[in-house]
Amino acid sequence: MPELPEVETTVRGLARFLDGARIERVVLNRPDLRRPFPPALVQRMTGAVVTGLSRRAKYGLIHVDRGATMIFHLGMSGRWRIDPERPDAHDHLLIETAHNRFALCDPRRFGSVDLEETELLDAWPRFAALGPEPLGPDLTPAYLKAALSGRVQSIKACLLDQRIVAGLGNIYVCEALWRARIHPKKKSGKVTKPQLARLVPAIRDVLSESIRDGGSTLRDYAAPDGALGYFASSFDVYGREGETCRREDGGTVRRIVQGGRSTWYCARCQR
DNA sequence: CGTGTGCCCTGACAGC
DNA sequence: TGCTGTCAGGGCACAC
């Protein structure tokens, strides 16, 4: 489920319960996800007080006192379950506070958990390699122009590259390209200035709107076994193969495969 | 360096 | 009711 808006919504949902709380207990139900759990995780987190939560790209950050930060990535299938009524076979890590229990559930185990010193987070190699936050001030048409210049990869592939923009995934790349009316196979270095001028707000808007919609479901998220889903009904192209383009220009949404992943677009309005 | 290809893993769904 | 094949929000190792 998790692209940037879903991680942001997850972090906000967790913060309502976790921020300021003391972690009483940490339980690992297996040794690893994509990577082994950090050896010091249980010791550093147990008894610590959560001082804040934040997000970088698709990573969620739980900051605690004593200068440590737990970094989680939800991969393809990860989610946090708050106060689950019954255990799930894929609850791999549990955190307990005085009032709540939090289960990191991830059936496919493409997610990860890391532990870093808070003051060294910017230098953490996975963060140091990331491009700018799409909702921050550094994503501009001029930045994209420079970052994409000379690249022969498709614009679809480049927007999925976390080194160019951090946090976009398959859904929101498709959606942003549709909004900006850019063909997903367009060579990155050949995307025009007017297209880039449309692309930046398209990215910001689609992410902001999704966060806004996700935020409205925090009530559901807080339910015992609440899951956070995508709002498929609000997608313009993703998963809509064969449907009429919502621009009502007579186009039909098509599905192609790029780099082994599906892309949906309208061949009439995206050029 | 930039680019393309598989693979990690489980579950949901379609078709037989 | 099985089976079997396909596909899924991501990231990374590896080959050229």
Side-chain angles (χ1 to χ4, degrees):
Chain A
M1 74 181 198
E3 294 187 32
L4 185 154
E6 291 70 33
V7 178
E8 179 67 30
T9 304
T10 295
V11 164
R12 292 182 188 182
L14 286 174
R16 297 198 312 163
F17 301 92
L18 201 47
D19 197 6
R22 180 177 183 274
I23 295 172
E24 308 277 352
R25 204 159 85 99
V26 177
V27 179
L28 307 181
N29 289 330
R30 55 173 295 125
D32 57 15
L33 287 177
R34 167 190 290 281
R35 301 184 274 280
F37 289 125
L41 182 68
V42 173
Q43 182 232 316
R44 288 292 294 276
M45 298 293 286
T46 304
V49 173
V50 176
T51 55
L53 289 89
S54 59
R55 177 192 59 73
R56 174 79 171 101
K58 299 173 195 171
Y59 294 87
L61 309 178
I62 301 172
H63 310 289
V64 300
D65 59 359
R66 311 168 178 174
T69 293
M70 176 179 149
I71 307 164
F72 64 86
H73 194 293
L74 298 175
M76 292 274 265
S77 59
R79 64 192 174 108
W80 281 96
R81 305 196 308 135
I82 300 179
D83 296 336
E85 285 182 10
R86 62 193 66 234
D88 183 286
H90 304 293
D91 288 345
H92 306 306
L93 178 150
L94 303 172
I95 290 177
E96 293 179 11
T97 65
H99 300 291
N100 301 100
R101 292 180 303 130
F102 308 84
L104 181 58
C105 181
D106 184 0
R108 293 176 75 179
R109 306 204 305 273
F110 288 175
S112 59
V113 173
D114 293 284
L115 184 72
E116 290 297 321
E117 303 306 312
T118 305
E119 64 176 17
L120 299 178
L121 276 179
D122 289 345
W124 190 48
R126 288 184 173 81
F127 283 175
L130 291 172
E133 284 289 324
L135 295 177
D138 296 334
L139 179 69
T140 62
Y143 163 78
L144 273 186
K145 182 76 182 166
L148 299 178
S149 90
R151 294 197 182 249
V152 297
Q153 269 186 315
S154 69
I155 185 65
K156 163 79 185 298
C158 279
L159 291 180
L160 281 177
D161 187 334
Q162 304 295 295
R163 295 169 299 184
I164 295 177
V165 184
L168 294 179
N170 206 35
I171 292 178
Y172 296 107
V173 167
C174 291
E175 295 295 308
L177 288 174
W178 180 84
R179 288 185 182 217
R181 307 198 309 276
I182 301 170
H183 197 291
K185 290 173 85 168
K186 181 119 183 168
K187 291 200 187 334
S188 295
K190 295 195 165 185
V191 178
T192 66
K193 287 184 80 172
Q195 286 179 320
L196 292 174
R198 296 199 299 267
L199 181 57
V200 169
I203 291 170
R204 291 183 190 280
D205 289 350
V206 73
L207 295 177
S208 300
E209 290 169 23
S210 180
I211 291 170
R212 187 199 61 204
D213 289 349
S216 69
T217 66
L218 285 179
R219 196 173 359 131
D220 299 323
Y221 178 81
D225 281 298
L228 190 64
Y230 284 96
F231 298 90
S233 61
S234 69
F235 297 153
D236 288 306
V237 285
Y238 185 87
R240 293 186 173 275
E241 181 178 13
E243 294 185 27
T244 301
C245 176
R246 288 195 166 182
R247 275 201 184 85
E248 299 179 359
D249 54 9
T252 301
V253 177
R254 296 186 190 172
R255 172 184 173 272
I256 58 174
V257 176
Q258 296 178 274
R261 309 187 72 185
S262 293
T263 303
W264 289 267
Y265 72 106
C266 171
R268 177 157 314 204
C269 58
Q270 291 178 246
R271 298 292 178 174

